[in-house]
Amino acid sequence: MKDNGYDVADYTGVNPLLGTLDDVKKLINATHDRGMKFLMDFVPNHSSDECEWFKLSLKRVDPFTNFYIWKDGVPINATHTTNPNNWASRFTGSAWTWREERKQYYLHQFAKNQPDLNFRDPKTRQTVESAVKFWLDLGCDGFRLDAPKHVFEDSQFKDKPQIHDYRTVPNEWFALDHIYTMALPESYGLVRDWGALLNEYKKRDGRTRILMTEDYDSPAVLIKYLENATSPGAQIPLYLTMTEMSSTTNASRLDWWVHSMSDVFPQGYFNWALDNHDNHRVTTRFTPESVDAMNMLTLLLPGVATMYYGTEIGMPDIKVRPDQRQDKQPGAGATGDDNDSRDASRNPMIWDDSDMSKVLVIWTYFCQTELCAIRHEPRDP
């Protein structure tokens, strides 16, 4: 929980804060009993440094020796070295951390507690894929893949080109062109391979498993993740540009964003998202009076609407005192500002046993209908 769960310590376990594996099984079954689908967030790029895989890799215990990206340092003098290259962490500072036990640096594109897995190592890839199968076998209906474009790094580990003055950006990450750590062809290949795996499960029982990808990019780039008639892949490469809209966005800009999707993607695969867990809520970015109109916009546009919990009832961001802060990562917010805590939009759902629960069920029913429409399949009764 150094990054609110995006630092995975056990890929087939459940954090005791949230319950047990039996609780998850009951939740999956109860979801299916209500005619709904159960999807999971899956983090392939990195684990927690408390993961058993990392602890064994640190000690060079096979087969975990090369599970992570380990590199020797660049010599400074006879006794000291420095970082292997100029790569920076998205959460500020260098992307490399020294471990004395192994006498090497490990790569972390995010927090230092989130070491990057080495997907060029066949044993790593096979083990992570086994975790995917574990949740599919448990009844999971698909996954939202976290940050898939970060999964592969260039094998030569060259310095990245500098595109901005370090003094003018909120952290070092924004000063560099990430051509060696983002959107490599192998990352799209991994999504295609996992799309094929999910299709194999469909062949067994006729149930489609959904694959979503998280990538802040234009549809012209996102389409590389998309399945087509000849190649498996993701059905929903999440289009997240609208999470950047605010009260300063005019109609022309909105029209451009909509057409960026509708002019590029096949019609059955359009998708829209107004906000998410990494950005400020719609109600806060616009006004409380506008949230219904923004929800109507995404529901009336053709395709799949993805709604962040609470947006359907107009929940705003909350103000978080320093002593309440759970998002400990500096520079993790959309702006890269250390004070831009993501906690503001991760507030508890306003939840009770009133008629609002019926609204949520209707909303989920709508989502299921839209997902099935993508594949031109009949909706479950």
Side-chain angles (χ1 to χ4, degrees), residues 42 125-137 140-143 145 189-205 207-211 227 231-235 375:
F42 195 87
R125 186 161 174 165
Q126 181 182 9
T127 302
V128 176
E129 189 170 301
S130 294
V132 173
K133 293 177 180 177
F134 173 86
W135 295 110
L136 289 171
D137 293 339
C140 182
D141 297 296
F143 304 93
L145 294 183
L190 177 69
V191 172
R192 287 193 291 272
D193 288 348
W194 283 2
L197 172 63
L198 268 60
N199 287 346
E200 288 298 319
Y201 272 77
K202 179 184 177 179
K203 292 177 182 178
R204 302 177 189 178
D205 56 19
R207 289 195 300 115
T208 295
R209 273 68 170 185
I210 294 294
L211 195 59
E227 68 173 11
S231 176
Q235 298 98 336
R375 300 300 293 266

Side-chain angles (χ1 to χ4, degrees), residues 279-284 315-319 344-347:
N279 295 281
H280 297 292
R281 289 181 174 275
V282 169
T283 308
T284 299
M315 281 173 52
D317 285 4
I318 59 171
K319 296 186 183 298
S345 63
R346 297 178 177 184
N347 40 333

Side-chain angles (χ1 to χ4, degrees), residues 54 69-70 95-97 99 104-108 112-113 115:
F54 185 75
I69 311 293
W70 295 98
W96 298 97
T97 292
R99 289 303 295 256
Q104 283 186 310
Y105 293 84
Y106 68 86
L107 177 68
H108 51 90
K112 67 177 182 179
N113 311 98

Side-chain angles (χ1 to χ4, degrees), residues 262-297:
S262 62
D263 292 347
V264 172
F265 268 46
Q267 185 171 2
Y269 293 87
F270 298 164
N271 74 88
W272 321 93
L274 286 173
D275 50 8
N276 67 1
H277 65 299
D278 284 330
N279 295 281
H280 297 292
R281 289 181 174 275
V282 169
T283 308
T284 299
R285 286 186 281 126
F286 290 90
T287 64
E289 296 77 14
S290 65
V291 66
D292 286 343
M294 298 308 298
N295 281 330
M296 287 173 64
L297 170 67

Side-chain angles (χ1 to χ4, degrees), residues 139-159:
C140 182
D141 297 296
F143 304 93
R144 174 254 193 206
L145 294 183
D146 179 69
K149 71 176 179 180
H150 291 271
V151 170
F152 281 89
E153 303 79 25
D154 183 82
S155 58
Q156 297 185 42
F157 295 92
K158 293 182 288 189
D159 280 352

Side-chain angles (χ1 to χ4, degrees), residues 162-174:
Q162 183 176 332
I163 56 175
H164 296 294
D165 189 325
Y166 288 104
R167 295 169 297 180
T168 65
V169 295
N171 67 54
E172 299 93 322
W173 191 86
F174 290 95

